[in-house]
Amino acid sequence: DAGITQSPRHKVTETGTPVTLRCHQTENHRYMYWYRQDPGHGLRLIHYSYGVKDTDKGEVSDGYSVSRSKTEDFLLTLESATSSQTSVYFCAISSTGGALNFGPGTRLTVL
Amino acid sequence: QQQVKQSPQSLIVQKGGISIINCAYENTAFDYFPWYQQFPGKGPALLIAIRPDVSEKKEGRFTISFNKSAKQFSLHIMDSQPGDSATYFCAASSFQKLVFGTGTRLLVSP
């Protein structure tokens, strides 16, 4: 987890509210990723970034948006949270797009 | 659809035994195959990785075997220890995007 922090670490919210998760890195890595982890599904890519203001969708991007205005920060926004978005969210970084270093995770519960 | 299929879902091995986890893929564009280890409440951590131009890579007690023609790869943990009890994920990468298997929960009994 060195060099990567996620905030908040835990959050409980209500259906329909917007939620923003933050990933911060001190490694100056080019690539940043958001994954969600659910039992039986492993880790699934939501969005990723290959540079400041350069982002692209992953396999489960519906209902999520991202922004990266600085190298060190990658924000994940749930525009209107739903119960199906209850999950553990992991941020990851990479210098090459190969090996990923993961953050500690954010546990999100949508009631 | 699951691009990387991982088995078994769970595994119990006695201390000192060999743990074997298997993965299969379809996309021939994958060019990097890592394994991750995850302990409860923590993020996944890179354990060992291989590229498709080699058939085996060994790091300590951990070995990846890679069969390009069969599109399969596996993780072998020799002399398994209770401290190896964790969830293991295989993954495959192409175009800087990593796709994960569904995970194997390993329990090494003392």
Side-chain angles (χ1 to χ4, degrees), chain A residues 22 27 52 76 101 104:
Chain A
R22 180 185 184 234
E27 306 295 322
V52 173
L76 177 70
N101 289 324

Side-chain angles (χ1 to χ4, degrees), chain A residues 33 35 37 48 90 97 99-100, chain B residues 32 36 38 89 96-98:
Chain A
Y33 304 80
Y35 283 86
Q37 184 173 27
Y48 69 105
F90 286 101
L100 302 187
Chain B
Y32 177 72
Y36 283 81
Q38 185 179 30
F89 293 95
Q96 291 77 45
K97 291 192 292 184
L98 208 56

Side-chain angles (χ1 to χ4, degrees), chain B residues 20-52:
Chain B
I20 302 174
I21 304 170
N22 300 298
C23 284
Y25 65 96
E26 288 296 326
N27 187 351
T28 55
F30 289 141
D31 58 5
Y32 177 72
F33 300 87
W35 284 88
Y36 283 81
Q37 179 188 57
Q38 185 179 30
F39 294 104
K42 302 292 186 181
L46 180 65
L47 188 63
I48 187 173
I50 197 169
R51 296 208 178 263

Side-chain angles (χ1 to χ4, degrees), chain B residues 54-95:
Chain B
V54 298
S55 59
E56 185 175 280
K57 183 173 182 180
K58 183 176 181 180
E59 290 184 0
R61 297 184 294 108
F62 300 92
T63 299
I64 299 178
S65 296
F66 187 82
N67 186 328
K68 189 174 181 178
S69 61
K71 290 186 282 189
Q72 296 175 346
F73 58 110
S74 59
L75 176 69
H76 292 64
I77 306 175
M78 312 300 288
D79 187 26
S80 298
Q81 299 296 312
D84 296 331
S85 297
T87 300
Y88 292 81
F89 293 95
C90 63
S93 175
S94 69
F95 302 106

